Amino acid sequence: MVRLLPPGHARLERATSLGVEVGGAELNTAAGLVRLGHSAAWVSRLPDNPLGRLVHNRVWESGVEPRVQLAADGRCGLYFLEEGAAPRPSGIVYDRAGSSFAAQPADAFDWPRLLSGARWFHVTGITPALGDTPLSATRTALRVAKALGLTTSIDLNYRAKLWDADAAGRVMGELLHDCDVLLAGTEDAANLFGVTGADFAAVARQLCDRFGLRTVAGVKREAPGVWRNRFGGVGYHRGEFHETPWYEVEIVDRLGAGDAFAAGLIHGLLAGDFGRGLHVGAAFGALKHTVPGDLPTSDLVEVEAVLAGGGLRVQR
Amino acid sequence: MVRLLPPGHARLERATSLGVEVGGAELNTAAGLVRLGHSAAWVSRLPDNPLGRLVHNRVWESGVEPRVQLAADGRCGLYFLEEGAAPRPSGIVYDRAGSSFAAQPADAFDWPRLLSGARWFHVTGITPALGDTPLSATRTALRVAKALGLTTSIDLNYRAKLWDADAAGRVMGELLHDCDVLLAGTEDAANLFGVTGADFAAVARQLCDRFGLRTVAGVKREAPGVWRNRFGGVGYHRGEFHETPWYEVEIVDRLGAGDAFAAGLIHGLLAGDFGRGLHVGAAFGALKHTVPGDLPTSDLVEVEAVLAGGGLRVQR
Amino acid sequence: MVRLLPPGHARLERATSLGVEVGGAELNTAAGLVRLGHSAAWVSRLPDNPLGRLVHNRVWESGVEPRVQLAADGRCGLYFLEEGAAPRPSGIVYDRAGSSFAAQPADAFDWPRLLSGARWFHVTGITPALGDTPLSATRTALRVAKALGLTTSIDLNYRAKLWDADAAGRVMGELLHDCDVLLAGTEDAANLFGVTGADFAAVARQLCDRFGLRTVAGVKREAPGVWRNRFGGVGYHRGEFHETPWYEVEIVDRLGAGDAFAAGLIHGLLAGDFGRGLHVGAAFGALKHTVPGDLPTSDLVEVEAVLAGGGLRVQR
Amino acid sequence: MVRLLPPGHARLERATSLGVEVGGAELNTAAGLVRLGHSAAWVSRLPDNPLGRLVHNRVWESGVEPRVQLAADGRCGLYFLEEGAAPRPSGIVYDRAGSSFAAQPADAFDWPRLLSGARWFHVTGITPALGDTPLSATRTALRVAKALGLTTSIDLNYRAKLWDADAAGRVMGELLHDCDVLLAGTEDAANLFGVTGADFAAVARQLCDRFGLRTVAGVKREAPGVWRNRFGGVGYHRGEFHETPWYEVEIVDRLGAGDAFAAGLIHGLLAGDFGRGLHVGAAFGALKHTVPGDLPTSDLVEVEAVLAGGGLRVQR
Amino acid sequence: MVRLLPPGHARLERATSLGVEVGGAELNTAAGLVRLGHSAAWVSRLPDNPLGRLVHNRVWESGVEPRVQLAADGRCGLYFLEEGAAPRPSGIVYDRAGSSFAAQPADAFDWPRLLSGARWFHVTGITPALGDTPLSATRTALRVAKALGLTTSIDLNYRAKLWDADAAGRVMGELLHDCDVLLAGTEDAANLFGVTGADFAAVARQLCDRFGLRTVAGVKREAPGVWRNRFGGVGYHRGEFHETPWYEVEIVDRLGAGDAFAAGLIHGLLAGDFGRGLHVGAAFGALKHTVPGDLPTSDLVEVEAVLAGGGLRVQR
Amino acid sequence: MVRLLPPGHARLERATSLGVEVGGAELNTAAGLVRLGHSAAWVSRLPDNPLGRLVHNRVWESGVEPRVQLAADGRCGLYFLEEGAAPRPSGIVYDRAGSSFAAQPADAFDWPRLLSGARWFHVTGITPALGDTPLSATRTALRVAKALGLTTSIDLNYRAKLWDADAAGRVMGELLHDCDVLLAGTEDAANLFGVTGADFAAVARQLCDRFGLRTVAGVKREAPGVWRNRFGGVGYHRGEFHETPWYEVEIVDRLGAGDAFAAGLIHGLLAGDFGRGLHVGAAFGALKHTVPGDLPTSDLVEVEAVLAGGGLRVQR
C-alpha cells in the first residue's frame, strides 16, 4: 500500500501536502529480512499505473524482489495516517477497497513456481481478510509451502475494520493448520479464539495446544505517550517462555514495528535459534520506531549495538 | 475531489510528497462565481471521514456554501496529477471509483429544497457519467430547476475514461432538453453528437438547431508548450458568433480554466449580457492558469485589468 | 491575526521561511464552538488586501461565519512565534500596531444587529487593550448583549505588552459588570485586581464576591518541559469548587489551549451543565495542544475518548 | 525590509508558508558593489528584536557592513510579494508603516562620521518618501557627502503608494542639487518633473539641463511575459547617449534588477569609465533576474561571461 | 555519483537545503535501457557507508542491477548543480576526488564474470579520465567484452575539468579500437581528435575512417534559453547520414539527456535497426529533459507518443 | 565545514533532501563569543568555489570576521549527520579528506599579523589531527599567541576517526605547553593521557599537575534519550572544584554544545571570573541544544534567564 501522511502533525482535514511512503505487513517483514542479510521476495498484484509502479520501484529500492503482477484492473490501495500526540492517539484512514490485489482472479498466482527454492513463507491475517480470492490464495500458498517443505509463519494482525472477530477466528484457525510459527498478541488471541490467560505464557501455551504449534511469539509494549513507548518481545517455544528486556523508544514512526519483530524472529529461526530470533526481533522492532516509513532500515550492526546496550552518544 | 500532485514536476512513480488541492468541475465554477461577486452553493455527497471533511473545509474556504451530505458509505474521490513539459503532456490518474457521490442512493437529494431561491443551476457531463443514480439525480435536478424557473447550463466535459462516446451522446442529448446554455468544444460535439463543421460557429449553429438552444460557448486554446498557451473564448448567441482576443498565458496550473470560463459566462448572462460574459469568462479563464489549484482565485479587479490590456509590470 | 512561525525550531532571526496560521483569542473560541457542534460568528475588522482576505478565508474554512469589515485603512495584525525547548521558553514578537481593528472608527459595529439571534457573547481582555475605540466597542457590545438577553463571558487574558496592570484592572473590572462568566487564572487575578489566595478556589470566591459573578473558571498547567506539560481545568460555580484530572500532553502547538478550554466551558454552560463544561473544556484544551495552529480541530468524538481515558494505541 | 513570498506561485490569501528574503533599494545596490569587488556599508535603523536582527544578519551575510541602529521603537518594515504570470502581473503589499527607520528622531545619524572615508554616497527616492525625518536625513546626508567630496547618486524610484507625484517631484528636484549621478526612467521623469521626450536621450538631456547633471542612466525593459523579459541599459553622459544590447532574461526573481544596474554603473564610474559602468550595470542587472531574492549574487566573472556573449550550455 | 541541487534556483553559496539525486553517465544509460524494456546492470565501486548505500538503493529502485563493490576505502563522488537562467548558464561543482571508484585497486573487477551473458557493453569517456586504474579497467572491460562477442559503445563525453584534450584524445583513440558504436559531438571530435568538418556527417565520416567504425551518433541542440531548447539526434551509419526532427523541449532537468539518447540508440541497435534507435534516442532524450533527476523515467509508450507527434493537451 | 542533514529523521541512505548548516569546533566558539558581546575572528582556508563561499557567507552572517584564504586547491570539508532516536544514537559521516585547510602549504598563515591586537586564542584537538601542516600551524599559532601575550585555550576534542589515541596524546601533550586553559572530559583524559580518577576533580588535578595548568573545565551530560539530556559544567580552577546545576534540555540539535560551553567559559575568564564563566558556559551550552545548527544563537539575555531559573511559559 501507499501511505500518505501530512507532515508536521497536521490534521488530514487541513493537509496541504502528504508525504509518501510504501508499506504493507508482509512487505515490511520481507524488507527486514533483506536488511538482516537474507534475500526475500514479495508476491502481490498492483495496478499498471504510476501508483502501482511507485510501489514496485520502492520494493526494488528496499532490496526485496517484487514478484508482482501489474494488472489492468483494480486500484492501488492507500492509507492515510494522522499522527497524534498524547492524549490523542494516531489514527489511520484505510482506502483500499477495490485494490488490484483484492480483485485478483482465482489462480492468479502460480504458487509452486513462486515458492520454488524458498525456505520460508510468511503471511499475515490482513491478506485473507481482503476477500474470498485473497483468502483462497493464502490457503493455497500455505499448503504449497508446506508441501514444498518451507517453514511457514502467520502473524494474526487482526484488523477490526476488515472483518469481524468471529469470521477472522474461524478462518485464521483453519489456516493455522499449515502454520509452523505464530505471531500473535494476547488481545488478538482473546478476540479471535477466545483464548485468555494470566499472561502471555498462559495464552501461548493454550494456542500451542489448540493448534498444534511449537512456537508463538509477539511484542510487548507500554505507551506512556504517543511518542515515547517501552517495547520488547515475548515468546513461547517448545514449552518454554522467553522474554527480552524492555527498550525505551523515542518514536519517529510507530508503524511496522511488529513486522520488523517478525523479521528478526524469522532471522533467528532460520539459524535454528529461537532465543536469538526473539532478541534480534525485539531490538530490530525497537529500532524500527526510530526511522520514518513502514519499512525497517536498520541492519545487524545496529541491532548488535542495541543488544550490547550501546549508549546514546553521537557516533563520531 | 481531492487532487494530489507531486511538486517540482516529479513523476508520480517517484513521488515522495504530494500537494493537496480540492477541485471538481462544478465546484470550480461555483467558486468562480463567488469570486465574481455572487453567492453560490455546491451540492455533493462526501464520506464522513477526514478526507471528506478536507473537501468540506476547502469548499467553505472558497466562500462556496457546502450543501453536502457526509455519508457513512463510499470513499473520497481522488485524482493524481503528473505535470508534463514539452514534448510530454501532463497526465491524470483518476481514482474515484466507489466515491460516496457515485454511491448515492436514489432520491439522496431533495432538489426542490436545494434549488429553492436560486437563479441558476450548472452541471457538467462528468456528473451523469459517474453512475446510474448520479445520472438520475442530474436529470431530476435539471427538471426541477427548469420547473422552478432557474436558468440551467451544462458543460459537456466529455471524459473518455468514464464512458464511451455513444452512451455519453445519448445521455447528454437527452439532458440538453432541460438546458438553456451549453458549454462545449467542437471536439466533444463531434465525438458525442457527430456534429462537425468548418469552425466553432458552424458547429454551434447546428447544436442550437438540434437541441433548441440559444447559447453555446466554449474556450479556444493553442498549445505551443505545456507551460505556455494561447487562450480565449468563442460563443454563439441568438444566431451570432462572438470571439474574444487571444491571451498569452504563462501557465502555473492548467486545470479548471474551462470551469472558470463558465463562471465568467454565467456572470455575464446573469446580468443579461452575453458578450460581457464571454469576455469576462475568457479573461477569468486566462487568469485561472496563473494560480495553483483547480479553483479560480482572481476577482473582477484582475479581470478588468486583463480586459483593459494592463501590462505585466510589478504592481507597486 | 496572522501567525508566522519558522519551521523546524529555527530562530526567527535566521528564518528562511515562515509557516502561516490564523488565530486570535476570540476566533479560537468561536472555532472551538463550531467543532463542538454549535454555530458561531466572529466580529472583526480587517484590511481589504490579500492578508485580510487570508484571515477571512481561513475563518470560513474553520466553519465560523466571518462578520468582518474589509477596511481601506489599517494593516493586518501579525505575530511571529519562535518555538523554544527547555530550558528556553517559546517567545512571541507581536506586530499588530496600526491594525485595521485597532483603527476602527467609533460606532464601526452595529452591535444590536450583529448580536441579534445569538445566545452567547464572548470576548477577551486583549480586545479592549488594543485602543480606545476597541475598548468602547467592547463595552458597547457587552451592554447590548446583556440587554438582548445573551449570556456573556470574558477571558481576562492579560497581556503585559499591551497595557499596564493598573489600567487593565480598572477597565476589566468595569467590563465585568456586564459579564456572567469569567475565565481567569490566579496570576491575572493578582496582577489586575490584587486578589490573592491560597488556591484557585479562594481566589475565585473573592472574584465572585467582588464582581457579583456566579462562575469563574480557568486552566491549570505544569510545565516540566516546553514540549511536555500537564494540563487541566479548575472552576468555581455557585459556591463550589470543581477540578478535572490532569492530562499529560505531548505538545505539538502550545497556543490556543485556553481559548479551546473556553469553548468547552461555554459548550457545557449552553446546556446548563457547568461540570460537563469544565471537563469538556479541559479535554478540548488538552487536545488543542496536539494539533498545529491556534484553532482547535478536535471534535466531541475525540473529547469523549479523552474523557473515557482511551489509550494511545494507533486507531486502526 | 523583510520580504515575504508564498512559494509555488501561491496567492497570498491562500498562503500556508512564506519564504523570507531581505532587501531594500539602497541595500541591494550596496550588496551589488560588494559583489563587484568594493567595500560598502548600509546605514539604517532597525528594531531591536528578532526581525531587526534577521535583517542585520543578512546584511552581514551579503558582505555589506551594517551601520545600523537597533532601536527600541518602531517595527520592522515588511513587504509581501505575490508572483504573477501572464496575463497577471506580480504584485506587492507593502507593510512598512511605523518602521523604526521611519520613526527615527531628528539627528539620528551622525553623517560626518558615517560618511568619513567613503568615496560614494547612494540613495533612492524611496527613503525621503518615508516621512519628514527620513527626508531631512536624506537631505543632510547628501549635503555632508558633497561637503566631504564624495560622489553622490540618486535613483528616483518613484513609489506612488508612498507619496503623490507633485510632492515627490518637488522634493526630489531639491535633492538633485546635491546629486552627481541620476538614475531615472522616462516614466518617472514625466510623472515627477513633467519632462517628456521622444526617447531616453531627449528626456535625459532635459534632466541634465534642468538639474545641472552630467550623467543620467536607467534601464530599458520589454515584458512579453512576466517570466521572460528583455533588458538592458541606457545612459546619457557628458552630452552623449549610450545604450547596451538587449539581454533576453529568463526571470527567477524580478526585484532588485534596477538596484543591481545602479551598482554596475557606480562600479564603472568609480573607475572613471561611464561606458564600462553602463555595460556592467546592464549585465549585472540582467543576471540579477536569474537568482532568488532582492540582492544580486553574481560577480565580475559572470558579468564578463555575459558581456562576452557566453552561451547557455551547462558549465562543466 | 550523488547530485546535490539547491531547490528554487537558489545559488549554492546561499543554499539552505539541497535536493538529492543519483546519477552517472553509464548508470543513466543503463536505467534508460531498463525503461525501454531491457535488463541492465551497472558495475561500480562505492564506499560502504550511508552515501554508498544511497547510490546502491537508488540503482535498485531504477530497476538496474547494482553489480557494485562496497569498499572500505574512498569516498562517494558528489556533484553540486546550480541552475542558471538566461543569460546565466547552469553550472556544476564536481567533488569526486578520492572516490572509491577512482581508488579501485588493479584487477578490482572480474570482467569475464561481470560481462558473462550480456549482449552489450557501454562506457563513457568520463570513466577512463578518473585515474590510471579506472582507465586500465576500462581498457580491460572493452577487450573482454569484444572477446566475449558483446557489442561495445563509447560515449566520448569529454570533461575538460578531468583531463586535458591531448591526453583524452590519445586515450580515447586507443580505446576506440575495441569500440563498435561511437557517441560523439563535433566539438569533442575537434578537441580530442582534431577532426573538423562542415557538418556532423563530414565529421562522422572521418571518425569512421580513422577508427574503423561503422556507426557514429550524437545529439543536436539549440539553446535559445536555459529552460527552453531544441533537441534531436544525428547519426552516421554504414556510410549514410540520418537525422531526426527537432523537438521543442521545456526543460525541467537538463542533465542526462545525452545518456538517455544513448539508451534509445542502443535499444534500436539491439534490434538491428539504427534508424529506429536514432529516433527513439532523440525522443527519449527529449523526454529526459522533462523529468527531474539524471535518470530517464519515460517508457516506450511516451516515446511512441512523441514520435507520433502527440499533442500537449492534458491526458485525461 | 558544511553540515548536511536529512530532515525529518530520515536515514541518509534514503535522503531526498539535505539541510545545509555551517559549523566547526573553533567557529562555533567564535560565534558564541560574538553572541556574548565580543568580537571574534576565525582563521581558515577554504576552496574558492560556491561551497567555500557558502561557509564564508555564513561566517559573516554569524558576526564572526572570516580571516579566510580562498584557495585554488583542495575541497570543502563536509559532514553528513543522521539523527537517531533511542535506542539508536545519532551518527556522523565525515567527508573532509582533501580539504583546502588540510592541504595548506607550510607558512600559509601569517600568525603574528592574524593574532595582532587579539586577547585570546582558542583551538581544538581536531585541527592538529588534520595533517602535518595543520599541526605545524597549530603549534606556531599557540607559540605566537603566547609570545604576544594572548591567553590560550585548547579543547581536547579527541576524534578517533582522525587519529589514534597515542598520537593524539603525544601531540596534544606537547601543545599544552603553550596552553593556559584546557577544556577536556574525563574520557579524553584517560584515552589520550592515561589520566584517570574517581571524578572530574581528581582527573583535573592530575592534568593541572602534569601540564602546569591552572584551569581545566568541561561539560557533564546524562543521556536518558537522544532527544532529552541533562547537561551542565564542571571545572577545576586554582585548585578548587566547581560545578553548575544540571539543566534538563529538550534537544533540537545536539552538536556544538561543548563549543558553546567553551565560549561561555572564555567570556567569564576574559572578565577574570572563572565561576561566572563556568555558569555562563553551562547555560549557554544548554541553550545551544535548543536551536538548529552548530552555531549558538542565544545571547546574554537568554543566558541570564536560564541562570535565574526562569520558567518555560510562552514569553508574551
Side-chain angles (χ1 to χ4, degrees), chain F residues 177-191:
Chain F
H177 291 134
D178 290 311
C179 172
D180 299 304
V181 175
L182 173 62
L183 290 114
T186 54
E187 195 174 345
D188 281 1
N191 285 336

Side-chain angles (χ1 to χ4, degrees), chain F residues 12-29:
Chain F
L12 260 176
E13 70 171 272
R14 296 191 67 226
T16 57
S17 77
L18 296 166
V20 179
E21 295 283 350
V22 164
E26 291 90 353
L27 174 58
N28 302 345
T29 299

Side-chain angles (χ1 to χ4, degrees), chain B residues 4-12 15-19 80-83:
Chain B
L4 300 172
L5 166 68
H9 292 260
R11 303 225 70 164
L12 260 176
T16 56
S17 76
L18 296 166
F80 297 82
L81 174 61
E82 187 174 76
E83 296 182 329

Side-chain angles (χ1 to χ4, degrees), chain D residues 197-217:
Chain D
D199 54 18
F200 181 84
V203 170
R205 191 179 317 113
Q206 294 175 67
L207 290 171
C208 286
D209 290 349
R210 184 182 314 177
F211 297 108
L213 299 162
R214 272 198 323 202
T215 310
V216 180

Side-chain angles (χ1 to χ4, degrees), chain F residues 169 173 177 189 192-196 204-213:
Chain F
H177 291 134
L192 267 57
F193 305 127
V195 173
T196 57
R205 192 179 314 116
Q206 294 174 68
L207 291 171
C208 285
D209 290 349
R210 183 181 313 177
F211 297 108
L213 299 162

Side-chain angles (χ1 to χ4, degrees), chain B residues 151-231:
Chain B
T151 308
T152 59
S153 53
I154 296 179
D155 189 338
L156 275 191
N157 247 341
Y158 174 60
R159 293 283 184 271
K161 293 187 180 176
L162 289 176
W163 50 357
D164 65 49
D166 281 351
R170 200 167 50 244
V171 163
M172 297 311 296
E174 176 209 331
L175 295 177
L176 283 177
H177 291 135
D178 291 309
C179 171
D180 298 304
V181 176
L182 173 62
L183 290 114
T186 54
E187 194 175 344
D188 281 2
N191 285 336
L192 267 58
F193 305 127
V195 173
T196 58
D199 54 19
F200 182 85
V203 171
R205 192 179 317 115
Q206 295 175 67
L207 291 171
C208 286
D209 290 350
R210 181 178 321 174
F211 297 108
L213 298 163
R214 273 202 319 204
T215 308
V216 180
V219 304
K220 58 181 182 183
R221 178 186 301 276
E222 289 176 355
V226 170
W227 300 106
R228 192 159 307 193
N229 279 189
R230 306 179 73 218
F231 181 86

Side-chain angles (χ1 to χ4, degrees), chain E residues 54-315:
Chain E
L54 171 72
V55 176
H56 186 268
N57 295 353
R58 296 272 185 110
V59 174
W60 264 131
E61 187 195 11
S62 75
V64 173
E65 182 191 345
R67 295 199 184 158
V68 165
Q69 296 174 26
L70 291 176
D73 58 326
R75 50 187 292 273
C76 188
L78 309 173
Y79 77 91
F80 297 82
L81 174 60
E82 187 175 75
E83 296 182 330
R88 182 172 58 85
S90 298
I92 291 181
V93 178
Y94 287 107
D95 182 20
R96 58 181 163 194
S99 74
S100 297
F101 182 78
Q104 65 183 262
D107 304 319
F109 299 104
D110 178 358
W111 291 108
R113 187 181 57 77
L114 288 165
L115 297 178
S116 157
R119 298 174 59 198
W120 196 287
F121 176 78
H122 177 71
V123 72
T124 77
I126 297 169
T127 298
L130 297 176
D132 285 345
T133 41
L135 164 56
S136 172
T138 307
R139 190 184 288 126
T140 305
L142 281 164
R143 286 184 191 162
V144 170
K146 290 310 304 171
L148 292 174
L150 281 70
T151 308
T152 60
S153 53
I154 296 179
D155 189 338
L156 276 191
N157 246 342
Y158 174 59
R159 293 284 184 269
K161 292 186 180 176
L162 288 176
W163 50 357
D164 64 51
D166 282 351
R170 200 167 48 244
V171 164
M172 296 311 296
E174 176 209 330
L175 295 177
L176 284 177
H177 292 136
D178 290 310
C179 172
D180 299 305
V181 176
L182 173 63
L183 291 115
T186 53
E187 193 174 346
D188 281 1
N191 285 337
L192 266 57
F193 305 128
V195 172
T196 58
D199 53 18
F200 182 84
V203 171
R205 191 180 317 115
Q206 295 175 66
L207 291 171
C208 286
D209 290 350
R210 184 182 313 179
F211 297 108
L213 298 162
R214 272 200 323 204
T215 310
V216 180
V219 304
K220 60 182 181 181
R221 179 186 299 277
E222 289 175 357
V226 171
W227 299 105
R228 192 160 304 193
N229 279 190
R230 306 180 73 217
F231 181 87
V234 287
Y236 188 82
H237 182 64
R238 297 175 182 250
E240 284 189 37
F241 175 68
H242 301 245
E243 188 170 18
T244 75
W246 286 100
Y247 295 109
E248 301 285 337
V249 289
E250 292 173 320
I251 300 178
V252 169
D253 191 315
R254 164 72 182 76
L255 300 185
D259 305 321
F261 170 78
L265 184 74
I266 294 170
H267 170 76
L269 289 168
L270 280 168
D273 187 341
F274 173 80
R276 167 78 176 165
L278 191 73
H279 283 82
V280 169
F284 200 51
L287 285 163
K288 168 57 203 68
H289 292 83
T290 72
V291 295
D294 301 60
L295 278 64
T297 56
S298 290
D299 56 18
L300 276 171
V301 174
E302 290 180 350
V303 166
E304 298 293 357
V306 169
L307 293 177
L312 298 178
R313 294 179 58 176
V314 181
Q315 299 300 297

Side-chain angles (χ1 to χ4, degrees), chain C residues 81-136:
Chain C
L81 174 60
E82 187 174 76
E83 295 182 331
R88 180 172 59 84
S90 297
I92 291 181
V93 177
Y94 287 107
D95 182 20
R96 59 180 162 193
S99 73
S100 298
F101 183 79
Q104 65 183 264
D107 304 318
F109 299 104
D110 178 357
W111 291 108
R113 186 181 58 77
L114 288 165
L115 297 178
S116 156
R119 296 173 62 197
W120 195 287
F121 176 78
H122 177 72
V123 71
T124 76
I126 298 170
T127 298
L130 296 176
D132 284 346
T133 41
L135 165 56
S136 172

